[in-house]
Amino acid sequence: MVAAEFTKYISEDLHRPLEDTRPLLEEDQLIGVVFSVLRLRKFDFLDALREETYAAIKATVKQAVVESISEVEVDTNISSVADQARVLTIASWLTLLSAITSRLNIVIHRVKVMIDVMFQAVEASAGNSNPTTDGVQAASLVTLSNSGVEAMLDSAAYTRAHSGLKEVLCATCDYAHDRCAKLLHARSRDHGLDKMKASEFLTLSRIIETFVVDTEKVCGRKSTTFRMGLQGQATRFVSRFHEERDARLKLNLGSERWRPVPAPPDLQRLLDHIISTDTLFFPPSPVENGNCTAILDNKSTSEVAVTNGNHGSTSATTSNGLQSSSSTSSLNTLAVSSGVMVQGEEYVVVGVCVVVVRLIVEYSECATTLRLAAQQLLTRLTDLLRKFNSDTCRLLIEAGAVALGLKTITTRNLALAWRSLQLLLLLLPRLKIHFSDLLRPVIVEKNIEQLTREYKEHCQAIENKIVGVVSDLIDRHLTTWEARSPVPSASFNGILRATSKLHEAVSGVLPSQQKLKLFERVTSVLKEKLRMHLVRLNVSSVGPQSWVVTSELTFYFNHVESLGQGSLAQEDFTRDLWPQKTSS
């Protein structure tokens, strides 16, 4: 009779409407029944409690599914509620899953309240004064304990009852996760989740992670089955997520013409947000084409239209939101002021760089939401950034872009690639901080620091390439130079034209200090080449030919000064220029 009464009470309490906000039906009734089973040493009440909680959880899930599919045609031969839920659309199924976890939280909290009272009853039955728990405090039990009632439970019985109640609470949470995992497993069969948009998958992740946290607060232990089901799906999702973005990068690299592009306003807002918050997240305000979170949807990341041709006015519209035209002269305007401002410095970049900036933020946001896949996302992102770096090197320094339709690789193309890499270098320290909050910092630092070194090496290689182009021109002109009137000679006029072209190429792209250092290197190259040819011509620091050399250099330094790039005095240049005479 006592066992039946206990089971009846538990069943009525757990199966009452979810809208009923009372912690318990009848607290004193529960206490009386628990005291009875403890006095009779009927510890099978723990099994009854477990079975009733399982039944309540199962009924809650079934009821939620039935309500969701009530207006959808379902195969009557399907007995499993998890399989019945598969007829729902992904959006409706996610709504159902969210509703189920919310309802299960109510049931689990009811179980927690009952077990809290049972804990106190066990304490009182063992003769412990002031029995307390973190949850509901039963006033009648506190009064009873303080009245010095004789203990009904010895130490062994007390331990058995106490640990048994704790285990039932944990088992309740585990069972709730098991039922949700069955829904997830059923939905994932036959690639049922493979067509989820990224935003939908992140919603699924939030539902699961929130439920894990909620139940851990109740029982003090993480339930794993629901989360493990997500882990397998996460691996497939990350692969698809990466494949789409890798294809987008490849497509934009293939259509890139390495010209300056007007940076879209949302890119400026994004970079302003990154700098002001020191985080890698899209700003909350909507962008021109909709809310920024939509960028994580499959359509917005995979639909890219590119039109290329060799004749007429050809335009290309890529996923970076930019439009360029091969017949638009504004792209070749030297004083382009269309870059983004970052910390007071302008970055004029190419279209594919805009894409890469957005990709960095997309991966970072995704890793924050889908923490269990953060390591995979970091690995894929660093692979993507490394690929962009190596492909840029192949296309420009190794002239691979010529095969893709670019007529020639100019110093301006190189300068734009250089500046684009510098903008990405600016984001790498923030990328390290972002993922260090999600993963072991030592792993993140190793990845990002290696990537930073590779980007810096590539920037140096581009600078060397630009200087090398000018160096070849200088050497070619000095080969026919004879150190005689008229001054400036045709050879030095050619050198002046080369420096003018270099200045035109990098103006509006490189900042003033960077241009200044570039011209310092060019001047150093001129000194090195000139010294070699002075030896060839046997010209010394004295004699009529030395005057010609000095006059030629005066024209060079005046010209560089007129370009605003004069940082080295002519006297310093000539100090160790002349070949040393050897004694006979």
Side-chain angles (χ1 to χ4, degrees):
M1 289 175 60
V2 170
E5 186 178 354
F6 176 82
T7 301
K8 179 182 177 183
Y9 176 89
I10 299 299
S11 179
E12 289 178 353
D13 191 291
L14 293 181
H15 288 88
R16 59 193 162 104
L18 296 174
E19 295 77 18
D20 188 340
T21 58
R22 290 177 295 170
L24 287 169
L25 281 178
E26 294 291 341
E27 181 182 289
D28 289 340
Q29 181 184 354
L30 174 61
I31 292 170
V33 174
V34 173
F35 267 122
S36 297
V37 294
L38 291 176
R39 184 181 296 278
L40 296 172
R41 303 292 182 93
K42 295 292 184 179
F43 291 109
D44 54 356
F45 83 93
L46 294 171
D47 296 328
L49 175 61
R50 181 184 288 103
E51 291 303 319
E52 288 301 321
T53 58
Y54 286 2
I57 288 170
K58 194 172 182 179
T60 300
V61 173
K62 184 175 182 178
Q63 181 62 29
V65 172
V66 169
E67 291 175 7
S68 294
I69 64 174
S70 59
E71 298 181 1
V72 182
E73 186 176 343
V74 181
D75 186 352
T76 55
N77 294 323
I78 300 176
S79 58
S80 167
V81 294
D83 286 330
Q84 290 174 2
R86 295 183 79 241
V87 302
L88 298 171
T89 63
I90 291 291
S92 298
W93 183 81
L94 287 172
T95 302
L96 167 64
L97 194 63
S98 179
I100 286 173
T101 54
S102 297
R103 294 183 183 191
L104 289 179
N105 272 328
I106 295 174
V107 174
I108 290 170
H109 277 284
R110 287 178 178 177
V111 174
K112 173 73 162 57
V113 170
M114 283 192 293
I115 289 180
D116 281 343
V117 173
M118 293 180 192
F119 270 131
Q120 295 170 66
V122 169
E123 294 286 343
S125 298
N128 297 332
S129 61
N130 297 325
T132 59
T133 68
D134 294 331
V136 174
Q137 304 296 316
S140 57
L141 280 173
V142 173
T143 302
L144 184 64
S145 299
N146 292 331
S147 62
V149 176
E150 182 181 354
M152 293 184 294
L153 300 178
D154 56 23
S155 177
Y158 164 77
T159 300
R160 181 179 177 184
H162 195 279
S163 61
L165 287 171
K166 174 66 176 175
E167 182 54 37
V168 168
L169 185 59
C170 292
T172 300
C173 294
D174 288 343
Y175 188 74
H177 280 262
D178 289 345
R179 301 308 299 180
C180 291
K182 287 182 182 296
L183 285 169
L184 179 62
H185 176 70
R187 183 75 207 200
S188 65
R189 285 204 311 269
D190 302 323
H191 308 287
L193 294 176
D194 288 356
K195 294 183 180 180
M196 289 183 81
K197 297 177 182 178
S199 57
E200 290 173 335
F201 192 87
L202 297 183
T203 299
L204 173 62
S205 173
R206 291 189 191 100
I207 292 171
I208 294 175
E209 294 295 344
T210 301
F211 193 50
V212 169
V213 171
D214 290 343
T215 54
E216 185 181 9
K217 289 177 182 177
V218 170
C219 68
R221 187 176 77 187
K222 276 188 178 180
S223 299
T224 59
T225 50
F226 198 13
R227 201 168 187 265
M228 288 296 289
L230 176 67
Q231 210 152 20
Q233 292 299 320
T235 300
R236 287 195 287 274
F237 166 74
V238 169
S239 296
R240 192 174 70 253
F241 182 90
H242 177 70
E243 285 169 5
E244 291 168 355
R245 282 146 187 81
D246 184 56
R248 176 152 52 118
L249 177 61
K250 184 178 180 180
L251 188 57
N252 279 275
L253 273 171
S255 62
E256 181 62 63
R257 291 300 172 259
W258 305 99
R259 296 167 177 166
V261 292
D266 67 302
L267 177 66
Q268 183 66 64
R269 285 195 294 269
L270 172 59
L271 290 170
D272 288 342
H273 182 70
I274 290 172
I275 298 303
S276 62
T277 61
D278 206 28
T279 59
L280 288 173
F281 292 100
F282 286 101
S285 57
V287 294
E288 293 176 356
N289 295 322
N291 192 283
C292 62
T293 54
I295 203 166
L296 287 177
D297 288 343
N298 288 345
K299 286 187 178 180
S300 64
T301 58
S302 60
E303 290 183 1
V304 185
V306 179
T307 306
N308 289 318
N310 297 322
H311 306 287
S313 176
T314 304
S315 64
T317 303
T318 60
S319 63
N320 55 26
L322 306 171
Q323 188 170 32
S324 60
S325 173
S326 60
S327 63
T328 305
S329 60
S330 61
L331 290 178
N332 295 318
T333 302
L334 299 180
V336 175
S337 181
S338 58
V340 288
M341 298 298 297
V342 182
Q343 296 177 324
E345 190 171 316
E346 187 181 32
Y347 288 81
V348 178
V349 298
V350 295
V352 70
C353 178
V354 179
V355 175
V356 176
V357 170
R358 288 172 176 162
L359 289 177
I360 289 173
V361 182
E362 288 178 26
Y363 276 83
S364 301
E365 274 198 344
C366 186
T368 299
T369 305
L370 197 60
R371 293 178 70 103
L372 60 87
Q375 178 65 64
Q376 295 180 60
L377 287 163
L378 174 62
T379 301
R380 300 298 181 92
L381 176 57
T382 52
D383 287 346
L384 203 71
L385 293 174
R386 188 167 281 114
K387 179 181 179 181
F388 170 72
N389 189 42
S390 60
D391 282 356
T392 303
C393 179
R394 175 180 57 81
L395 291 170
L396 294 180
I397 296 182
E398 300 174 11
V402 174
L404 297 176
L406 200 63
K407 291 182 179 179
T408 183
I409 309 296
T410 66
T411 51
R412 188 164 182 77
N413 299 142
L414 292 168
L416 284 162
W418 187 4
R419 198 61 176 149
S420 297
L421 291 174
Q422 288 176 333
L423 177 60
L424 298 179
L425 270 170
L426 192 69
L427 299 178
L428 291 185
R430 288 169 175 81
L431 188 64
K432 181 171 73 172
I433 294 170
H434 185 95
F435 276 91
S436 292
D437 291 336
L438 306 174
L439 301 167
R440 290 174 55 196
V442 64
I443 297 175
V444 179
E445 288 175 10
K446 183 179 179 181
N447 277 277
I448 303 302
E449 286 174 5
Q450 175 63 29
L451 193 62
T452 302
R453 281 194 298 271
E454 292 173 11
Y455 268 65
K456 287 181 177 179
E457 288 170 1
H458 189 190
C459 286
Q460 187 62 53
I462 291 176
E463 182 182 354
N464 293 342
K465 183 69 173 181
I466 294 174
V467 174
V469 169
V470 181
S471 174
D472 291 343
L473 289 171
I474 290 173
D475 198 35
R476 192 183 310 157
H477 288 298
L478 289 179
T479 300
T480 59
W481 180 60
E482 294 296 336
R484 64 177 64 174
S485 297
V487 176
S489 63
S491 296
F492 262 83
N493 273 327
I495 292 172
L496 299 185
R497 284 194 301 271
T499 55
S500 293
K501 287 182 178 180
L502 175 62
H503 183 260
E504 290 173 357
V506 300
S507 290
V509 178
L510 300 182
S512 55
Q513 285 299 316
Q514 203 167 326
K515 286 192 295 183
L516 204 60
K517 291 180 179 179
L518 184 62
F519 271 84
E520 285 177 359
R521 287 198 61 187
V522 169
T523 301
S524 297
V525 167
L526 173 62
K527 183 174 182 177
E528 176 188 340
K529 299 294 184 182
L530 185 57
R531 186 188 289 119
M532 292 168 53
H533 286 283
L534 290 176
V535 172
R536 173 179 64 83
L537 297 170
N538 195 26
V539 177
S540 65
S541 58
V542 294
Q545 284 183 302
S546 66
W547 175 86
V548 173
V549 175
T550 301
S551 299
E552 298 270 39
L553 289 175
T554 300
F555 273 102
Y556 172 81
F557 278 96
N558 287 341
H559 179 70
V560 172
E561 183 69 33
S562 71
L563 298 176
Q565 305 305 322
S567 61
L568 181 66
Q570 184 174 343
E571 293 77 11
D572 295 331
F573 181 90
T574 56
R575 184 169 296 126
D576 56 347
L577 172 67
W578 306 100
Q580 299 295 321
K581 287 187 176 182
T582 56
S583 57
S584 55

